[in-house]
């Protein structure tokens, strides 16, 4: 579905069509695992980790592919200790943690963090599939692997290798593009109660997307900015309807993104 989005740019109002959510980058999430520990996906990625997420119903046909992926992840525990994590989660958060853990352990999947959390949504990465696996990494939170129904250990391993290579290189491609795309990203006031002003410096003649995302990964605000003709950009975002809590402000172009956090406090 196409919806119209209104945004302000240096005193002007534009209305442009915005379509869907990109599958190129991870969606902000902070799920609580089956041991009651919160995992901030973006914080983990920013710290240099590679996160492998596997969804199961659970189902008998899910076991083989997800075990292959598990074993590939396990190999990195020796070569890259502490750098690759496997997150095993229920498909629609309607299966208990006890069932997810028991099913995983009975199928040899033991070295993982287990979840039954709606914050890990398959639809953030395109369509649903059983099983489904994504591999995400690097400081721009990019998706390296996204396969429905028939993920493989080899596919996941190659994706993890690619992510680790980029991380070892400092994700230089993303950083270089980011520096030429948009810099000096700030938001104020922070904490905010009624309005947040997002400011950044951008190169002209590009299209940028601005989003406000809550901890559940839901996009509460989105805007497309195109035909930039000034380097200093300011956008005012109305947050009066937002509940108190932590949110992510994300700005991205076709290749890279940057995220900062803002606290809403009434």
């Amino acid at each position: 579905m196409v919806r119209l989005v209104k945004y302000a740019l240096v005193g002007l109002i534009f209305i442009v069509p915005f379509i869907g959510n990109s599958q190129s980058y991870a969606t902000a999430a902070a799920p609580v695992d089956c041991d009651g520990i919160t995992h901030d996906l973006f914080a983990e990625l920013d710290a240099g980790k590679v996160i492998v997420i596997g969804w199961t119903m659970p189902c008998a046909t899910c076991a083989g592919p997800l075990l292959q992926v598990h074993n590939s992840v396990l190999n990195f525990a020796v070569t890259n200790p502490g750098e690759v994590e496997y997150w095993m989660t229920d498909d629609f958060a309607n299966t208990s943690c006890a069932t997810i853990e028991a099913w995983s352990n009975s199928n040899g999947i033991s070295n993982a963090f287990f979840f039954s959390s709606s914050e890990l949504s398959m639809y953030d990465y395109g369509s649903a599939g059983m099983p489904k696996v994504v591999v995400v990494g690097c400081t721009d939170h990019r998706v390296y692997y996204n396969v429905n129904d028939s993920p493989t250990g080899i596919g996941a391993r190659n994706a993890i290798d690619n992510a680790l290579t980029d991380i070892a290189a400092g994700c230089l491609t993303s950083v270089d593009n980011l520096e030429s795309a948009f810099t000096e990203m700030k938001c104020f006031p922070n904490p905010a109660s009624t309005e947040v002003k997002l400011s950044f410096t951008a190169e002209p003649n590009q299209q940028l997307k601005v989003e406000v995302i809550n901890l559940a990964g839901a996009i509460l605000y989105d805007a497309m900015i195109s035909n930039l003709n000034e380097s200093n950009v300011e956008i005012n975002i109305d947050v009066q309807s937002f509940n108190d809590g932590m949110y992510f402000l994300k700005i991205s172009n076709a290749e890279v993104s940057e995220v900062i956090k803002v606290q809403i406090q009434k």
Side-chain angles (χ1 to χ4, degrees):
M1 178 180 295
V2 177
R3 61 187 185 279
L4 294 180
V5 179
K6 182 172 69 175
Y7 66 92
L9 172 60
V10 196
L12 300 177
I13 299 294
F14 301 85
I15 298 179
V16 296
F18 175 69
I19 304 174
N21 186 23
S22 172
Q23 295 175 223
S24 300
Y25 303 99
T27 298
V32 177
D33 70 18
C34 291
D35 291 324
I37 299 172
T38 300
H39 299 252
D40 186 324
L41 177 61
F42 280 6
E44 298 266 9
L45 298 176
D46 291 344
K49 291 185 179 180
V50 177
I51 306 298
V52 181
I53 308 174
W55 283 270
T56 182
M57 292 181 65
C59 56
T61 55
C62 297
L66 292 176
L67 178 60
Q68 286 186 36
V69 174
H70 167 271
N71 292 341
S72 289
V73 173
L74 195 59
N75 290 334
F76 288 95
V78 177
T79 59
N80 299 81
E83 296 181 18
V84 184
E85 293 183 358
Y86 193 25
W87 294 8
M88 273 295 308
T89 186
D90 180 26
D91 55 353
F92 295 113
N94 56 2
T95 303
S96 70
C97 274
T99 299
I100 289 292
E101 291 186 276
W103 178 87
S104 298
N105 287 323
S106 68
N107 286 287
I109 302 170
S110 56
N111 192 351
F113 293 100
F114 300 102
F115 300 86
S116 181
S117 172
S118 59
E119 293 208 18
L120 294 174
S121 172
M122 289 182 286
Y123 294 109
D124 287 337
Y125 303 91
S127 60
M130 280 295 109
K132 182 181 182 77
V133 170
V134 300
V135 176
V136 293
C138 214
T139 53
D140 64 353
H141 315 143
R142 75 184 70 168
V143 176
Y144 287 83
Y145 187 72
N146 184 352
V147 176
N148 289 353
D149 304 321
S150 55
T152 65
I154 293 175
R157 185 179 67 222
N158 290 338
I160 296 168
D161 275 330
N162 290 336
L164 290 172
T165 297
D166 285 346
I167 291 169
C171 300
L172 294 178
T173 300
S174 297
V175 171
D176 290 342
N177 287 339
L178 180 62
E179 290 176 350
S180 64
F182 40 87
T183 58
E184 300 180 20
M185 183 177 172
K186 301 175 183 177
C187 69
F188 55 92
N190 192 4
S193 58
T194 60
E195 186 178 76
V196 172
K197 178 175 288 186
L198 175 64
S199 66
F200 56 92
T201 299
E203 291 292 322
N205 302 319
Q206 62 174 313
Q207 181 167 284
L208 302 176
K209 178 165 68 173
V210 177
E211 298 168 296
V212 180
I213 304 168
N214 66 16
L215 289 177
I219 300 174
L220 305 182
Y221 170 94
D222 49 51
M224 297 298 294
I225 303 175
S226 58
N227 299 321
L228 288 172
N229 54 17
E230 297 192 29
S231 59
N232 297 319
V233 182
E234 291 186 352
I235 299 173
N236 296 319
I237 302 173
D238 186 350
V239 296
Q240 293 184 80
S241 63
F242 294 3
N243 295 326
D244 286 4
M246 184 68 70
Y247 295 81
F248 301 97
L249 292 180
K250 179 180 178 181
I251 181 170
S252 56
N253 61 15
E255 298 182 3
V256 295
S257 63
E258 184 175 355
V259 175
I260 58 175
K261 294 180 180 180
V262 61
Q263 183 75 29
I264 304 301
Q265 185 174 318
K266 306 293 176 61

